[in-house]
Amino acid sequence: MAATVTGATDRTRARYAPFVLTRMSSLFLRTLRDDPADAEVPSHRLLVRAGYVRRVAPGIYSWLPLGLRVLRNVERVVREEMDAIGAQEIQFPALLPREPYEATGRWTEYGPTIFRLKDRKGGDYLLGPTHEELFTLAVKGEYSSYKDYPVMLYQVQNKYRDEARPRAGILRGREFLMKDSYSFDLADEGLAESYRLHREAYATIFDRLGLEYVIVSAVSGAMGGSASEEFLAITETGEDTYVRSPGGYAANVEAVTTPAPPARSVEGLPEAQAHHTPDTPTIESLVTFLNAVGLGREFTAADTLKNVLLKTRAPGAPEWSLLGVGLPGDREVDLKRIEAAVHPAEVALLDEADFARAPFLVKGYIGPAALAANGVRYLVDPRVVTGTAWVTGADKIDHHVVDLVCGRDFTPDGTIEAAEVRPGDPAPDGSGPLEAARGIEIGHIFQLGRKFADAFGLDALGPDSKPVRITMGSYGVGVSRLVAVIAEQSHDSDGLIWPRLVAPADVHLVVAGNAAEIRDGAEALAAECVAAGLSVLFDDRDARPGVKFADAELIGVPTIVVAGRGLASGVVEFKDRRTGERTEVPRGEAVGRLAALRDAG
Ligand code: ATP
Ligand code: MG
């Protein structure tokens, strides 16, 4: 694994263009004038209108000729950078037996997200959502000695996930193309190096594709493990919220940790006192009441301790168990952060029936005392440290207790990141106040550690003949999603604007006019372009120039060339799709200039 990331320059030229001259008169393409009714985001709208993709079912799309070219171009960039770090391409089936996923617990853990099916003999199968199991087994099958390691393997393959909310066309599909790679190392330092190589390769891929992105620290999600980062493309339409600080901190909201204040002494703090606080089931009503009765100081919501009751269930467990979460009353609960914190257990809010089964829970007046007395696990926000005093429920209708001190009057079972992260909160690394931004996950790199090696007993025989447990990394890029993300970041009101590297052609040549001289002149120019190695989308259709121009804008090839009346006086028009700039170019210079534009990337 000696290879390092090399420069992109010599790799930008080769392009997937199986038909160097594409005649639009016979191209399998019908552009649409109207937006599809179900399209919420620009990339979806434009990719459908421009005839790149077509919907088959929710989250399931076909690729038409131009779309497939862009997809293949993106795929090629990803492959080049994987090969450059010494990863080796292999391919697994998408249709997989249940057993390996049963062995790691993911058959159950993935829940309804997996497409499961049965064969004619009743055997259980699934369509692979990700392939850690198969890669681990493959390496176990081929390798045995420490001398075999390290190794990095990858594939580019369709993945299947029955997403709860397939969305925005190919952005969140139920079938989608992913590059997934896996590293296998003997020791932690090796894993760190494989991780670093992937991190650099991913940065190179996304740089080459011209994307604006951030790298955020992430929670480990469905996998459990240590270091984990996500690459998020910055877009307003993104589903992922992340936070950043002026000092360069960036993290998924789920990964933000709350700096805990130092614990204080409980000595000399006022005694806890229960008060009759009629009709105060909400924080707001409680604060208003406390300030109205005059307890000698002013209260705010931040002085109250709000106790939220949830239930959790470990994967495969038959029963739910109660979980009490205490957090400052001025903060809302962020269920996604709780989900990340308790993963792989599921979590849900309590319903009426749950409350009926636990009469010691007095809704609106729940306090730590009843939880402790009834053996309910109680986790608190990290700001609730020893020596902090709170107003909280007294476990009796219309009653609260004031000056209940953590570490003196109640002892939580631990802390949990359950509270919403707010703009202005301090970054955990001290790099300043946080602000929220939106993005779309395009890549994920992840130090898995030994979870999968443990599940399958993947060992290498060491120099001393003792087995060494292998440590793994897993790394994913959403290849089909990238097509949508590029479109999302690069379009205008008229259509798509592809970066040259992934455009479906180098040149979009429009024949503007029906005169034989114009047609013949354009044909000759197209042929010269092809001879110079340029791929040409040639609009030789029998249509009005206005229609052709509109389609050229919509389709988004970076350079549009118009061959029209100017040919008679020896000029064609170049239009830069990005800037809109038009230039008259002498016919004799056209091919050379187009080749130069392509080579400039
Ligand atoms: P997300 O948080 O967006 O659901 P994930 O964390 O489940 O993604 P991973 O398992 O890390 O995704 O998959 C690796 C990459 O595959 C992601 O970074 C993303 O680019 C892509 N991807 C994941 N799910 C989808 C999907 N439903 N459609 C298209 N691409 C996807
Ligand atoms: Mg992820």
Side-chain angles (χ1 to χ4, degrees):
M1 204 169 51
T4 50
V5 180
T6 56
T9 41
D10 55 334
R11 282 184 255 118
T12 50
R13 290 191 53 177
R15 192 157 304 157
Y16 180 87
F19 314 104
V20 271
L21 180 66
T22 306
R23 289 181 182 277
M24 286 183 67
S25 56
S26 55
L27 180 62
F28 188 62
L29 171 76
R30 288 292 174 267
T31 56
L32 310 176
R33 201 167 319 154
D34 298 317
D35 290 338
D38 61 339
E40 301 158 17
V41 300
S43 62
H44 184 190
R45 218 167 56 222
L46 293 171
L47 289 169
V48 171
R49 275 190 52 207
Y52 283 69
V53 297
R54 288 288 178 260
R55 181 181 178 279
V56 171
I60 304 178
Y61 283 78
S62 324
W63 296 85
L64 300 190
L66 295 181
L68 191 58
R69 284 198 202 178
V70 176
L71 180 70
R72 294 284 182 252
N73 286 336
V74 171
E75 206 178 315
R76 181 179 44 75
V77 173
V78 173
R79 263 203 186 89
E80 284 171 356
E81 300 307 329
M82 284 297 106
D83 293 344
I85 60 168
Q88 303 173 54
E89 184 168 5
I90 62 178
Q91 176 113 301
F92 284 106
L95 177 61
L96 301 169
R98 169 180 178 162
E99 289 72 25
Y101 288 80
E102 193 64 61
T104 56
R106 294 210 291 183
W107 174 266
T108 315
E109 229 174 75
Y110 260 107
T113 302
I114 292 192
F115 281 103
R116 297 173 167 84
L117 54 159
K118 286 202 184 291
D119 72 1
R120 62 171 73 208
K121 293 183 180 143
D124 281 322
Y125 287 79
L126 70 153
L127 296 175
T130 172
H131 279 70
E132 280 75 3
E133 283 81 351
L134 276 287
F135 276 84
T136 311
L137 284 170
V139 172
K140 186 176 156 81
E142 307 300 319
Y143 277 5
S144 54
S145 159
Y146 73 98
K147 292 182 193 149
D148 297 329
Y149 292 89
V151 65
M152 297 195 289
L153 301 171
Y154 77 98
Q155 63 176 350
V156 180
Q157 189 208 37
N158 274 337
K159 296 281 188 270
Y160 298 85
R161 296 182 185 175
D162 196 358
E163 299 276 359
R165 281 185 64 239
R167 177 182 169 264
I170 55 170
L171 212 45
R172 179 174 296 284
R174 297 199 294 164
E175 174 184 275
F176 59 98
L177 191 63
M178 194 203 288
K179 185 287 300 175
D180 49 328
S181 41
Y182 305 86
S183 63
F184 299 83
D185 282 276
L186 293 164
D188 294 349
E189 303 78 67
L191 171 57
E193 176 62 5
S194 301
Y195 184 87
R196 190 189 64 78
L197 285 169
H198 272 90
R199 196 175 194 273
E200 275 182 24
Y202 280 23
T204 308
I205 291 166
F206 303 137
D207 287 343
R208 287 181 66 192
L209 295 176
L211 290 168
E212 265 191 85
Y213 63 93
V214 286
I215 304 175
V216 302
S217 36
V219 285
S220 38
M223 309 218 183
S226 48
S228 167
E229 287 168 293
E230 287 175 359
F231 290 73
L232 300 184
I234 302 169
T235 61
E236 280 164 25
T237 53
E239 274 191 321
D240 293 304
T241 305
Y242 70 99
V243 289
R244 58 187 176 203
S245 76
Y249 173 84
N252 252 344
V253 173
E254 285 89 328
V256 175
T257 51
T258 307
R264 299 169 222 167
S265 166
V266 300
E267 291 300 311
L269 293 176
E271 287 296 299
Q273 276 197 339
H275 288 270
H276 182 222
T277 55
D279 255 345
T280 56
T282 65
I283 298 288
E284 203 188 359
S285 55
L286 174 63
V287 169
T288 310
F289 179 88
L290 291 173
N291 288 326
V293 295
L295 290 174
R297 61 183 205 258
E298 192 72 16
F299 291 88
T300 71
D303 299 315
T304 68
L305 181 64
K306 167 160 82 182
N307 295 307
V308 177
L309 260 289
L310 304 157
K311 53 184 177 179
T312 62
R313 184 167 64 179
E319 299 288 335
W320 292 90
S321 28
L322 292 177
L323 171 68
V325 168
L327 69 161
D330 62 334
R331 299 252 166 191
E332 293 304 324
V333 161
D334 182 335
L335 210 51
K336 278 186 92 176
R337 271 163 61 73
I338 298 185
E339 275 166 12
V342 304
H343 193 89
E346 301 172 74
V347 62
L349 294 165
L350 291 203
D351 55 30
E352 289 306 322
D354 296 317
F355 275 104
R357 270 193 295 274
F360 58 91
L361 297 173
V362 186
K363 249 180 140 178
Y365 302 91
I366 299 171
L371 300 179
N374 291 280
V376 176
R377 195 168 148 75
Y378 183 50
L379 302 176
V380 293
D381 181 89
R383 280 163 281 235
V384 184
V385 292
T386 295
T388 50
W390 302 93
V391 180
T392 192
D395 299 309
K396 204 166 130 186
I397 195 127
D398 287 344
H399 284 75
H400 282 92
V401 46
V402 178
D403 287 322
L404 197 77
V405 173
C406 181
R408 182 189 72 184
D409 304 319
F410 69 100
T411 308
D413 297 311
T415 59
I416 185 168
E417 293 291 351
E420 59 172 343
V421 175
R422 285 203 299 237
D425 282 351
D429 64 354
S431 61
L434 296 175
E435 63 166 5
R438 300 188 79 77
I440 301 172
E441 186 185 321
I442 47 178
H444 189 179
I445 53 177
F446 185 35
Q447 297 191 13
L448 281 175
R450 297 186 172 78
K451 170 175 171 177
F452 290 87
D454 284 343
F456 297 108
L458 175 60
D459 291 330
L461 223 47
D464 53 2
S465 295
K466 289 207 180 100
V468 180
R469 184 73 17 126
I470 295 301
T471 181
M472 289 170 58
S474 114
Y475 318 89
V477 169
V479 178
S480 52
R481 176 178 288 184
L482 275 173
V483 173
V485 167
I486 295 168
E488 205 60 43
Q489 285 193 353
S490 188
H491 68 268
D492 62 17
S493 53
D494 296 326
L496 299 157
I497 307 172
W498 296 109
R500 283 189 188 281
L501 190 56
V502 300
D506 294 316
V507 184
H508 190 134
L509 176 56
V510 177
V511 189
N514 278 324
E517 307 81 65
I518 293 177
R519 291 211 153 257
D520 294 348
E523 286 281 351
L525 178 55
E528 279 175 44
C529 285
V530 170
L534 292 156
S535 67
V536 182
L537 186 57
F538 186 39
D539 198 347
D540 59 344
R541 289 177 301 172
D542 197 8
R544 279 183 294 114
V547 170
K548 294 185 177 185
F549 296 147
D551 276 348
E553 303 282 314
L554 179 61
I555 288 168
V557 172
T559 307
I560 300 164
V561 176
V562 183
R565 271 196 295 261
L567 273 178
S569 48
V571 293
V572 289
E573 185 185 85
F574 277 30
K575 181 171 180 190
D576 183 313
R577 176 66 186 88
R578 184 172 296 274
T579 61
E581 193 189 335
R582 294 159 188 272
T583 341
E584 296 236 301
V585 174
R587 167 67 178 80
E589 289 175 23
V591 179
R593 289 237 212 149
L594 290 168
L597 281 172
R598 175 202 54 197
D599 294 345

